[in-house]
C-alpha cells in the first residue's frame, strides 16, 4: 500500500490560552495603540520590548509592524542613503533585498555554500563594495559567525542580522542577533512566535536604538518606552529623524509575551521533529543532508536537503511525486519564482551578475516547513515518502 500524508504544512499551533486571555483584556479595555495608556499603565508593547531585551541580553529593543519593516528601519538607522550599496545573501527570501530596495539602496549579492550559509570567501572579496552587510540567516543556517564578524569588523562593515529564522538559535552559545550591530526578528505566523504580523529589533547602540524608535513612529512619546535609551539620546536625534510609521500595537504584543516565555520549549519540540526527519532521510541515494556545525544551536522549524547536480526535470519529478503523496516541498532552483520561493536573479529591480557556484547549489535546494502540529510519527512518515520518491527518481 502506498502511504500518503494528510496533514497540513501551513497549520500552526493555536495561540496559547494565556495569550488569548491577554489579547481579550486588551480588546476589552480598547487601548490598542501602544501610546494609549492610562496613568501608571506600562502597556503591552513596552513590556514586550523590556522582556525581549532581557531575554536576548540586549540593552535596547523596539517592537514594530513586521520583520521586513525592522530590516528597513535598521538600514535607515545606520544611515543608508539612496544609491548606497548593501551586501546581502543571494539565498534568502524576498523581504530582505526588498528592505534594501525600500530605502532606494542597491543590494550586492553574496553567494551561498553547500552548508546553505553565506559564502565567506565571496564576502571577503566583496567587502570593499559596501559599508553595511545585511546578513540573512536564511532557513536558520548560521555561518561561521566568528570569522564573519572578524572580517566585517576589520573592514569596518556594519552587520545587520536578519534573524527571521533564528529566533532562539545561537552560535557558540551566543544568541543569534547579538553579534551584529542590530538583530531583526519576524513574528509573522510562520516564524517562531506568531502574532500574524510583527517584528522586533534589538541593539546595544543607544543612537541606533533612539533613531529606530523615532523612525518607527514614536512622535515625542519615546519616554513611554521601557527598553529605549534615555531622553538625552533622543534630544540629539529627534529633529533629524523622520517618522516612518510602523509601530507594533498592544494586541499583538499581548499575544507575543506568553509565546516568548515559552520559546525554549518550542525550540526543543521543533528540533525533535527536525532530527526525526533528518534521521529518516540520511543515506537516501542522491540526496545530500545539510550537516549542521557543532557551534550552531539551531531551530528546526524547517528542513532543507540538496539534490545536487540533478536535472531540473528530475527535481520537478520528485516535487510532483511527493506532492501527490501529501508532502509539500519547495524548490529554490525553479526558473520562475513561485510562492515564497525566489532567488537573487528573480529580483530584477536589483542588478546582479551570474553566480555559477551559487547557481549550482540553489538549483539543488529543496525546502520543507516543519510546523509543530506534526507529530513525530508524521515526521517519520514524511521522511519515508521523500526517501521513497527521491530513490525512485534517482534510480529511474
Ligand atoms: C528570511 C526572512 N527575512 C525576513 C522576513 C520578513 O519578515 P516579515 O514577513 O515579518 O516582514 C522573512 C519573512 O518571510 C524571511 O523569511
Amino acid at each position: 500500500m502506498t502511504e500518503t500524508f494528510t496533514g497540513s504544512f501551513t497549520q500552526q499551533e493555536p495561540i496559547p490560552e494565556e495569550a488569548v486571555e491577554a489579547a481579550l483584556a486588551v480588546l476589552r479595555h480598547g487601548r490598542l495603540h501602544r501610546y494609549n495608556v492610562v496613568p501608571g499603565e506600562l502597556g503591552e508593547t513596552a513590556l514586550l520590548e523590556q522582556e525581549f531585551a532581557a531575554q536576548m541580553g540586549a540593552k535596547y529593543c523596539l517592537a514594530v509592524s513586521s520583520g521586513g519593516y525592522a530590516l528597513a528601519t535598521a538600514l535607515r538607522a545606520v544611515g543608508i542613503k539612496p544609491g548606497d550599496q548593501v551586501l546581502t545573501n543571494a539565498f534568502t527570501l524576498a523581504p530582505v533585498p526588498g528592505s534594501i530596495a525600500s530605502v532606494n539602496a542597491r543590494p550586492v549579492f553574496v553567494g551561498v555554500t553547500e552548508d546553505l550559509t553565506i559564502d565567506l570567501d565571496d564576502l571577503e572579496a566583496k567587502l570593499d563594495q559596501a559599508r553595511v552587510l545585511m546578513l540573512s540567516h536564511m532557513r536558520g543556517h548560521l555561518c561561521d559567525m566568528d570569522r564573519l564578524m572578524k572580517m566585517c569588523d576589520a573592514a569596518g562593515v556594519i552587520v545587520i542580522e536578519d534573524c527571521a529564522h533564528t529566533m532562539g538559535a545561537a552560535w557558540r552559545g551566543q544568541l543569534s542577533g547579538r553579534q551584529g550591530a542590530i538583530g531583526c526578528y519576524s513574528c509573522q505566523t510562520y516564524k517562531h512566535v506568531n502574532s500574524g504580523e510583527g517584528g522586533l529589533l534589538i541593539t546595544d547602540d543607544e543612537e541606533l536604538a533612539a533613531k529606530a524608535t523615532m523612525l518607527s513612529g514614536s512622535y515625542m512619546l519615546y519616554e513611554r518606552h521601557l527598553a529605549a535609551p534615555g531622553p538625552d539620546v533622543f534630544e540629539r536625534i529627534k529633529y533629524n529623524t523622520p517618522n516612518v510609521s510602523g509601530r507594533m500595537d498592544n494586541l499583538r504584543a499581548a499575544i507575543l509575551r506568553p509565546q516568548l516565555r515559552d520559546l525554549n520549549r518550542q525550540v526543543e519540540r521543533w528540533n525533535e521533529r527536525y532530527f526525526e526527519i533528518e534521521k529518516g532521510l540520511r543515506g537516501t541515494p542522491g540526496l545530500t543532508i545539510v550537516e549542521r556545525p557543532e557551534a550552531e544551536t539551531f531551530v528546526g522549524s524547517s528542513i532543507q536537503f540538496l539534490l545536487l547536480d540533478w536535472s531540473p526535470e528530475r527535481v520537478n519529478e520528485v516535487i510532483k511525486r511527493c506532492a501527490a503523496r501529501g508532502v509539500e516541498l519547495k524548490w529554490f532552483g525553479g526558473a520562475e519564482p513561485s510562492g515564497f520561493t525566489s532567488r537573487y536573479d528573480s529580483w530584477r529591480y536589483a542588478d546582479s551578475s551570474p553566480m555559477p557556484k551559487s547557481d549550482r547549489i540553489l538549483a539543488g535546494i529543496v525546502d520543507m516547513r516543519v510546523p509543530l502540529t506534526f507529530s513525530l510519527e508524521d515526521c517519520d512518515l514524511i521522511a519515508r515518502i521523500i526517501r521513497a520518491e527521491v530513490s525512485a527518481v534517482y534510480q529511474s
Side-chain angles (χ1 to χ4, degrees):
M1 197 193 73
T2 310
E3 293 180 302
T4 301
F5 178 65
T6 54
S8 164
F9 281 79
T10 50
Q11 181 61 57
Q12 307 298 354
E13 291 190 301
I15 299 300
E17 266 321 297
E18 194 191 344
V20 172
E21 288 302 324
L24 285 174
V26 173
L27 288 173
R28 290 197 171 108
H29 66 54
R31 293 184 296 280
L32 272 71
H33 192 286
R34 67 167 297 162
Y35 299 120
N36 183 199
V37 285
V38 292
E41 187 186 16
L42 297 173
E44 291 285 344
T45 310
L47 287 166
L48 166 71
E49 291 164 343
Q50 188 179 48
E51 289 165 5
F52 192 63
Q55 189 168 352
M56 300 304 293
K59 282 193 189 161
Y60 309 113
C61 173
L62 175 73
V64 293
S65 55
S66 73
Y69 181 87
L71 295 174
T73 303
L75 289 170
R76 287 194 173 94
V78 300
I80 286 296
K81 299 273 179 300
D84 286 353
Q85 302 205 118
V86 177
L87 293 155
T88 196
N89 306 58
F91 172 50
T92 184
L93 249 70
V96 178
S99 71
I100 297 170
S102 79
V103 295
N104 291 317
R106 291 185 292 141
V108 176
F109 296 109
V110 183
V112 59
T113 67
E114 278 186 42
D115 300 330
L116 302 193
T117 55
I118 193 162
D119 181 336
L120 294 178
D121 296 330
D122 192 27
L123 177 64
E124 191 151 40
K126 291 174 176 164
L127 271 179
D128 61 351
Q129 295 184 35
R131 62 177 196 87
V132 173
L133 164 66
M134 171 153 301
L135 172 66
S136 182
H137 304 301
M138 176 61 172
R139 287 294 183 256
H141 295 272
L142 291 171
C143 69
D144 179 344
M145 287 301 293
D146 304 321
R147 182 174 165 209
L148 178 129
M149 287 311 302
K150 217 166 132 191
M151 271 165 49
C152 290
D153 287 346
V157 168
I158 300 168
V159 179
I160 297 170
E161 291 184 76
D162 165 29
C163 305
H165 305 165
T166 54
M167 181 189 276
W171 179 260
R172 239 179 264 296
Q174 190 176 23
L175 287 169
S176 182
R178 296 294 291 129
Q179 282 94 346
I182 300 181
C184 300
Y185 305 81
S186 166
C187 311
Q188 178 242 65
T189 291
Y190 300 113
K191 304 303 191 303
H192 301 169
V193 287
N194 173 11
S195 58
E197 303 286 354
L200 291 158
L201 178 157
I202 57 169
T203 182
D204 282 349
D205 184 301
E206 60 179 23
E207 195 152 313
L208 294 180
K211 283 183 177 165
T213 304
M214 288 296 294
L215 282 161
S216 76
S218 66
Y219 306 99
M220 298 299 154
L221 300 169
Y222 44 77
E223 286 187 55
R224 294 189 194 169
H225 284 246
L226 299 171
D232 52 315
V233 186
F234 285 92
E235 286 299 325
R236 296 205 298 264
I237 58 101
K238 69 181 184 186
Y239 299 110
N240 296 316
T241 309
N243 177 326
V244 187
S245 286
R247 291 171 300 270
M248 175 164 287
D249 59 81
N250 286 332
L251 183 58
R252 283 183 286 170
I255 294 171
L256 289 170
R257 291 176 62 208
Q259 293 183 58
L260 281 168
R261 288 196 281 275
D262 208 22
L263 180 63
N264 291 344
R265 191 181 70 91
Q266 298 293 74
V267 170
E268 279 175 27
R269 295 177 62 224
W270 260 304
N271 288 351
E272 277 172 7
R273 286 155 180 76
Y274 180 98
F275 286 122
E276 199 67 20
I277 298 168
E278 190 196 69
K279 190 175 76 189
L281 295 182
R282 240 176 226 289
T284 305
L287 178 151
T288 307
I289 297 278
V290 182
E291 302 294 349
R292 313 296 301 233
E294 220 176 277
E296 181 195 37
T297 306
F298 65 94
V299 185
S301 52
S302 68
I303 189 164
Q304 295 70 43
F305 58 84
L306 295 170
L307 299 179
L308 269 182
D309 303 322
W310 284 47
S311 69
E313 295 74 28
R314 286 158 84 79
V315 179
N316 260 327
E317 182 65 14
V318 169
I319 309 282
K320 218 170 72 197
R321 291 170 73 132
C322 287
R325 295 177 66 182
V327 175
E328 242 182 68
L329 301 175
K330 308 284 178 212
W331 179 39
F332 278 85
E336 279 297 311
S338 103
F340 288 103
T341 313
S342 57
R343 36 183 283 159
Y344 74 95
D345 49 4
S346 327
W347 308 316
R348 294 189 198 157
Y349 53 81
D351 292 337
S352 66
S353 318
M355 306 176 83
K357 257 171 73 186
S358 295
D359 289 343
R360 172 177 172 256
I361 293 158
L362 285 163
I365 301 176
V366 181
D367 172 49
M368 188 181 87
R369 278 206 182 107
V370 184
L372 286 174
T373 46
F374 286 0
S375 66
L376 294 182
E377 292 71 34
D378 291 338
C379 295
D380 288 336
L381 171 60
I382 288 165
R384 279 199 302 279
I385 293 173
I386 298 173
R387 188 184 189 90
E389 297 305 337
V390 169
S391 303
V393 177
Y394 187 69
Q395 282 153 14
S396 66

